[in-house]
Amino acid sequence: MDVLVPYAATRPKTRLAEVLNSAERESFSRAMLADVVDAVAETGAEPTVLATAPVELDAPVVVDDRPLSAAVNDRLTATSDPTDHDATDDERRDGDVATEATRRRREDDPTAIVMSDLAVATPRVLSRFLESSGDLVVAPGRGGGTNALVVRHPDFYVDYHGASYLDHLRIARSIGATVREFDSMRLSTDVDEPNDLVEVLLHTNGRARDWLLDAGFDVDSRDGRVGVQRER
């Protein structure tokens, strides 16, 4: 199975600015990306990084600086068909038009989308997720986001703006696609806020955890609350 791993290569993880400077956020986000790519590869799937700028990584990288939804939809349809004269300019640009060959290919060989900040994801959990049945398999994130998808229905497209979890359920209903929700702590935990760093320290042993330890972060459980502290 092909697995897209979207990655914002420029100014990543701005919500971590309270605890990490710009260079640190870039370095830490690359460590998380490498962990996710390794975890996907260990399942036997084929990861492709969909990055907004060039990234040096031991995996195929496709550079697309468009908004996330347009970039992913273009890959889902294996680029829109420029000979489709019934398509609008917006549909051609956003990759919402699939040829019949593309439709058949997606039914036979589904595509998954796994976000690059799922630093606590493991090959075991990802294997279960990728093998789950359904036209659409969705791993919701906290706060209404969508952290991972398996797309088997030829007419499905993504919409990552706002409460994308609800949007993806709506899109699935509109095209008659069956949906399976995948409930997993490891796939629902994306690392966006400073408090999320504790999950990386507690539940992983990969590059992202090593990066945090090297940067002086550790678990802080004083006053009965679990968080992170940093030695400067």
Side-chain angles (χ1 to χ4, degrees):
M1 180 184 295
D2 292 332
V3 180
L4 300 177
V5 183
Y7 176 65
T10 7
R11 298 183 66 249
K13 294 298 161 191
T14 55
R15 282 184 281 175
L16 291 176
E18 180 183 334
V19 293
L20 298 176
N21 63 36
S22 177
E24 289 173 331
R25 294 196 302 275
E26 180 176 346
S27 179
F28 178 59
S29 71
R30 296 284 178 95
M32 290 196 294
L33 171 64
D35 282 345
V36 171
V37 167
D38 284 352
V40 170
E42 286 186 41
T43 71
E46 299 178 358
T48 297
V49 176
L50 186 60
T52 57
V55 179
E56 290 187 11
L57 198 68
D58 189 20
V61 177
V62 173
V63 176
D64 192 326
D65 63 359
R66 291 178 297 172
L68 177 60
S69 295
V72 170
N73 283 331
D74 195 56
R75 298 297 299 177
L76 281 177
T77 58
T79 71
S80 53
D81 183 359
T83 66
D84 188 340
H85 300 293
D86 293 328
T88 67
D89 290 340
D90 286 344
E91 286 173 331
R92 292 191 188 96
R93 184 185 65 246
D94 293 344
D96 292 337
V97 181
T99 65
E100 285 304 313
T102 299
R103 292 171 183 270
R104 289 193 297 272
R105 184 167 64 253
R106 193 189 296 183
E107 290 170 343
D108 296 337
D109 187 15
T111 298
I113 305 102
V114 176
M115 293 301 164
S116 63
D117 58 358
L118 302 185
V120 302
T122 62
R124 180 179 179 182
V125 170
L126 284 169
S127 291
R128 288 174 43 227
F129 172 72
L130 297 175
E131 293 167 2
S132 297
S133 60
D135 293 336
L136 180 71
V137 185
V138 55
R142 296 166 298 179
T146 305
N147 284 354
L149 291 168
V150 175
V151 179
R152 294 188 175 91
H153 196 286
D155 295 324
F156 183 80
Y157 59 94
V158 299
D159 183 353
Y160 283 107
H161 303 292
S164 62
Y165 168 68
L166 295 178
D167 291 333
H168 290 145
L169 295 184
R170 173 186 55 79
I171 293 166
R173 286 194 300 270
S174 73
I175 61 176
T178 61
V179 178
R180 177 170 181 177
E181 182 174 323
F182 192 87
D183 185 9
S184 164
M185 178 278 289
R186 290 188 177 275
L187 294 190
S188 67
T189 302
D190 47 341
V191 180
D192 282 324
E193 308 281 352
N195 286 341
D196 298 332
L197 300 179
V198 70
E199 307 299 337
V200 179
L201 291 168
L202 289 173
H203 300 297
T204 74
N205 57 3
R207 293 179 179 86
R209 181 177 185 270
D210 290 343
W211 190 98
L212 290 174
L213 292 173
D214 289 344
F217 286 91
D218 203 351
V219 176
D220 180 6
S221 58
R222 292 173 295 182
D223 302 324
R225 292 176 296 181
V226 179
V228 294
Q229 62 180 351
R230 186 177 193 181
E231 296 179 2
R232 300 269 182 186

